[in-house]
Amino acid sequence: MRSAKLELGRHIHVNGLPPPPQYTRAPQYAAQTVNGAPVPIIETNNVLRTPEGQDQHLVVGEGTYLLRDVLQLATPPPHPSDTQPPNLNPLATTPTPPTAGVKLSLATVNPRQIVSQLYKLHSSQSERSNLAKYSIKESEKESRASHESVSDDASHVPFVNGDGADKAPAFGVSNAVLGITNGTKDSLKRKKPKSSMIKSSSSFVSRVIPHEALQKRLQDRNTDGIFAFANINRAVQWLDVTATDNFRSEHLTKILFTKAHMLCHDVNELSKAQNHLDVVMGSSQGDIIWYECFAQKYARINKNGIINSSAISKILWIPGSENLFIAAHMDGHLIAYDKERDDAAFLPEANGHDVSEKPKVEGERESINIKVLKSVNSKNQKTNPVAVWKISNQKINDFAISPDCRHLAVVSEDGSLRILDYLKETMTDLYTSYYGGFMCVCWSPDGQYVLSGGQDDLVTIWSFAQRRIIARCPGHHSWVTAVAFDPWRCDDRNYRFGSVGEDCRLLLWDFNVGMLHRPKATSIRQSVSSPLARNRTESQVTTRVRSTSNLSAKENAANGEEEEVIDHEVESRFRTAELPPVMNRKIDDDPLCWLGFEEKYIMTSCIFGHIRTYNRPGTTDEGDETSSADEESSKA
């Protein structure tokens, strides 16, 4: 046994990846029995390693981010019943099933009382009305601006989506047929899926491997820890990323699907409790799994693609809802589902309409139109889907929900960023990339800015308030695959965000409107003012407006008319500010595909399952403050 472990260790050290699982006899594995007895299966486990050396750490202005560990997820091979051999020719034109890199959905079951090392203090002079206000101080002795006063009851909690905001009406609340209600239920009364995941006889699920001491692991774990759901090929793993070193690499549950790959997933923040987590997962075959991990129950939605058979690139729970979620299908549709409703074959309703159907302007793109094939206000809500919107004729790569729970930012392969008011089922803005398609998108914690990354190797900052581009951020050498704000380093004046790309690099950026630089070649200089200096509907950028009306947006609103859809032209790079990164580092040998910020960690993942976790400056594995001696030695 010891020699076998040493041989496995040598293989990992030489190749960097654990060997793939090996099945003793493939035909018998497909049948799961031979001569009436279970077929033994040799599975590889996740591998946790701790690289050493100063070159593994990230040095930024506020301190050094120490690489805690690298978790390598075990990669499952194709199912034995999948006889189609993989096509290794990169130039082949034959269709291949959609794939996605390893992505994580993080969840904590306890409300976190965050005490940040940034000394975030309340700023009573902030003009933002929707979220709590904070300012960043690096130490308690740091001075503040003269106009910034601090209240005695200063909170230490960072921006959190929806906290302190004027709550938007729940999606579909105006439709009595849906029976949408605001408020939460007791966790014991929450509905769970009906089918057992472990005892499933479905051909869609191949195997389920719970940890042999799952209940004990859940009882002994730190209640403030972080759960993670990670997809890799046809497997999904439920992990405890804050467990001790002995258990951090061990999955709580591993689910192997027969042929489908889970491409995306999300955890419901409203319904979560100590003994309840609702997870939805979107697959490469269009099927959606609603999974409750504590009860090991699941339900299958859009079974066999009865509503839409295209793969799902992104899936998100609708904020404030325990039942509804939105899935972005790769054929350009956004579809809202109810986890508890049955499915039925979908046909566009007779009263479906093009919400932007107005007299066409010469030279205008067809893609500006979005079509409501089924409205959330439809009276036919006995079965899924709840709503269907045709967004684009090309693949939707990503979408994000705004902190005010009213708007969607949607990016697609056609190089378009669309801003939608999903409560009204209308589109307000259409932006175009500098080159190629957009790959990823996110909102700032206060909802004032939208970040996008794409095939032009750029991160772009868009002002939601001003309806214009603010800055382009060069630094990547290949496609940008994920962008995210760090809410623990954002206040009402400064923003920290990060990006990862196929160039295997992690970039961190600090953004302040006053620090933006415009190229000297600009012939027409337009000052970059505060995002609140002008109203959202008073942008002075050159746009193409889809309307023959000469009324302003404010006048239209006063007359009860909808806000106009603005198709923004691409602004020249000579007229756009550029923002340099504060940290640019290659951290992996494989393309990166996911980035996440937590209170004590920064986490990344690559397409082959390397999950890297960096401790923030001043924290250890347990989150305790490090000594100044340790801090100085890490910088040396």
Side-chain angles (χ1 to χ4, degrees):
M1 179 63 70
R2 179 175 176 80
S3 61
K5 290 184 178 179
L6 290 175
E7 183 63 27
L8 176 61
R10 292 193 193 99
H11 184 95
I12 294 172
H13 176 74
V14 174
N15 298 322
L17 293 174
Q22 298 178 358
Y23 305 103
T24 54
R25 302 174 66 184
Q28 285 78 5
Y29 169 71
Q32 297 185 350
T33 58
V34 55
N35 298 327
V39 176
I41 300 174
I42 302 174
E43 293 280 1
T44 57
N45 297 321
N46 301 334
V47 176
L48 185 72
R49 55 190 176 89
T50 306
E52 297 180 355
Q54 297 299 324
D55 58 338
Q56 302 291 337
H57 305 319
L58 308 176
V59 180
V60 196
E62 65 270 15
T64 301
Y65 291 78
L66 305 178
L67 179 60
R68 186 189 72 178
D69 54 51
V70 180
L71 176 62
Q72 169 63 56
L73 301 181
T75 305
H79 190 272
S81 65
D82 190 359
T83 58
Q84 182 179 0
N87 192 341
L88 302 180
N89 181 7
L91 302 179
T93 58
T94 54
T96 57
T99 58
V102 175
K103 300 178 181 178
L104 278 69
S105 293
L106 305 178
T108 56
V109 294
N110 270 357
R112 291 173 294 177
Q113 184 177 1
I114 299 171
V115 181
S116 173
Q117 70 270 27
L118 299 181
Y119 301 100
K120 296 173 182 292
L121 300 176
H122 180 73
S123 174
S124 62
Q125 299 298 321
S126 172
E127 298 180 20
R128 303 183 193 275
S129 58
N130 287 339
L131 291 170
K133 300 88 177 174
Y134 303 91
S135 61
I136 292 177
K137 285 204 310 173
E138 299 299 334
S139 68
E140 292 180 337
K141 297 181 180 179
E142 180 182 330
S143 61
R144 298 184 304 275
S146 58
H147 67 273
E148 187 180 29
S149 60
V150 180
S151 63
D152 294 333
D153 58 343
S155 173
H156 292 283
V157 183
F159 289 121
V160 179
N161 290 359
D163 274 6
D166 295 333
K167 290 187 177 181
F171 179 70
V173 71
S174 59
N175 189 350
V177 179
L178 284 174
I180 303 296
T181 58
N182 291 318
T184 60
K185 304 175 184 178
D186 183 78
S187 60
L188 298 178
K189 299 180 180 179
R190 290 191 177 97
K191 291 186 178 180
K192 293 179 172 60
K194 297 180 180 179
S195 302
S196 171
M197 178 66 80
I198 297 177
K199 299 179 181 180
S200 173
S201 59
S202 170
S203 60
F204 189 78
V205 179
S206 174
R207 294 186 68 220
V208 180
I209 312 172
H211 192 277
E212 57 185 8
L214 176 60
Q215 295 304 320
K216 188 176 187 308
R217 286 280 309 275
L218 294 176
Q219 292 174 2
D220 295 344
R221 69 179 296 271
N222 182 2
T223 56
D224 295 326
I226 301 175
F227 285 127
F229 296 87
N231 61 289
I232 180 165
N233 288 6
R234 64 185 185 93
V236 171
Q237 295 193 30
W238 176 24
L239 304 166
D240 184 355
V241 296
T242 52
T244 60
D245 292 347
N246 297 334
F247 298 106
R248 198 177 299 153
S249 63
E250 299 179 2
H251 62 261
L252 297 173
T253 301
K254 180 195 290 186
I255 306 172
L256 294 169
F257 297 91
T258 305
K259 294 183 179 181
H261 290 196
M262 292 298 152
L263 307 182
C264 51
H265 32 78
D266 190 36
V267 179
N268 194 320
E269 291 293 325
L270 181 64
S271 64
K272 69 180 183 181
Q274 283 287 347
N275 59 350
H276 188 99
L277 280 178
D278 285 319
V279 185
V280 284
M281 300 179 279
S283 75
S284 58
Q285 297 183 350
D287 294 64
I288 298 171
I289 296 295
W290 165 32
Y291 174 52
E292 205 292 295
C293 53
F294 285 90
Q296 294 292 345
K297 300 282 188 178
Y298 84 103
R300 194 171 162 192
I301 302 168
N302 191 31
K303 186 175 181 179
N304 297 320
I306 188 174
I307 298 171
N308 189 306
S309 60
S310 65
I312 299 172
S313 58
K314 186 66 176 284
I315 193 166
L316 289 177
W317 291 97
I318 296 178
S321 175
E322 292 190 1
N323 289 5
L324 303 181
F325 58 89
I326 298 176
H329 289 264
M330 290 190 182
D331 63 353
H333 287 87
L334 283 178
I335 302 181
Y337 295 90
D338 189 320
K339 70 180 185 183
E340 296 180 3
R341 295 181 190 272
D342 296 328
D343 298 333
F346 172 70
L347 292 175
E349 295 188 346
N351 60 347
H353 62 286
D354 182 345
V355 300
S356 298
E357 191 171 4
K358 297 180 181 180
K360 184 178 179 181
V361 179
E362 184 177 356
E364 191 171 50
R365 293 177 295 173
E366 293 292 340
S367 60
I368 194 172
N369 296 334
I370 71 167
K371 296 181 180 179
V372 179
L373 304 182
K374 180 179 180 180
S375 172
V376 67
N377 296 314
S378 169
K379 300 304 179 184
N380 179 21
Q381 296 291 358
K382 293 182 179 180
T383 58
N384 278 320
V386 174
V388 180
W389 310 312
K390 176 68 173 178
I391 302 297
S392 172
N393 292 324
Q394 297 191 40
K395 172 186 172 183
I396 297 176
N397 286 325
D398 196 8
F399 75 93
I401 302 176
S402 65
D404 64 3
C405 307
R406 294 177 181 270
H407 297 89
L408 296 179
V410 186
V411 293
S412 54
E413 199 75 18
D414 61 5
S416 296
L417 163 63
R418 295 171 172 85
I419 304 297
L420 278 63
D421 185 333
Y422 70 92
L423 298 182
K424 298 180 180 178
E425 300 179 297
T426 59
M427 182 169 66
T428 61
D429 294 275
L430 175 65
Y431 302 94
T432 307
S433 68
Y434 185 77
Y435 172 83
F438 281 124
M439 304 294 293
C440 50
V441 68
C442 73
W443 291 83
S444 64
D446 56 7
Q448 294 294 326
Y449 296 99
V450 177
L451 287 182
S452 65
Q455 299 170 359
D456 52 10
D457 304 349
L458 297 171
V459 177
T460 308
I461 306 173
W462 312 87
S463 172
F464 177 72
Q466 295 180 344
R467 306 178 83 163
R468 64 184 297 267
I469 185 173
I470 292 295
R472 292 189 176 100
C473 309
H476 280 282
H477 305 153
S478 187
W479 294 0
V480 182
T481 53
V483 290
F485 277 91
D486 183 352
W488 282 269
R489 293 200 62 84
C490 290
D491 62 13
D492 57 355
R493 299 171 301 171
N494 307 282
Y495 301 84
R496 161 69 60 82
F497 62 89
S499 61
V500 295
E502 293 190 353
D503 55 359
C504 313
R505 308 185 80 87
L506 165 64
L507 277 69
L508 297 178
W509 318 74
D510 283 336
F511 164 53
N512 184 298
V513 178
M515 66 182 288
L516 294 181
H517 165 70
R518 282 185 175 273
K520 295 180 180 179
T522 304
S523 58
I524 302 176
R525 296 176 181 257
Q526 184 178 11
S527 62
V528 183
S529 59
S530 167
L532 298 170
R534 292 196 301 266
N535 186 275
R536 171 171 157 74
T537 58
E538 297 175 357
S539 174
Q540 298 177 3
V541 297
T542 304
T543 55
R544 292 176 290 179
V545 183
R546 279 190 58 83
S547 176
T548 55
S549 171
N550 293 323
L551 294 177
S552 68
K554 282 186 174 182
E555 291 171 331
N556 286 336
N559 294 335
E561 300 181 16
E562 293 182 353
E563 187 177 10
E564 303 296 345
V565 180
I566 297 184
D567 184 4
H568 302 261
E569 294 181 346
V570 181
E571 187 169 340
S572 168
R573 292 188 71 168
F574 294 103
R575 295 172 53 90
T576 308
E578 289 190 354
L579 183 69
V582 297
M583 197 279 299
N584 187 339
R585 183 71 177 274
K586 180 180 178 180
I587 63 172
D588 207 312
D589 294 327
D590 300 303
L592 301 171
C593 56
W594 178 83
L595 170 66
F597 292 98
E598 284 295 318
E599 178 191 3
K600 301 170 185 175
Y601 312 104
I602 294 180
M603 302 178 68
T604 66
S605 69
C606 78
I607 60 174
F608 294 124
H610 298 99
I611 301 175
R612 294 175 177 266
T613 302
Y614 295 87
N615 286 332
R616 289 186 185 267
T619 61
T620 63
D621 291 350
E622 293 77 18
D624 298 329
E625 295 185 358
T626 58
S627 64
S628 57
D630 294 338
E631 183 76 15
E632 292 299 327
S633 62
S634 66
K635 294 181 180 180

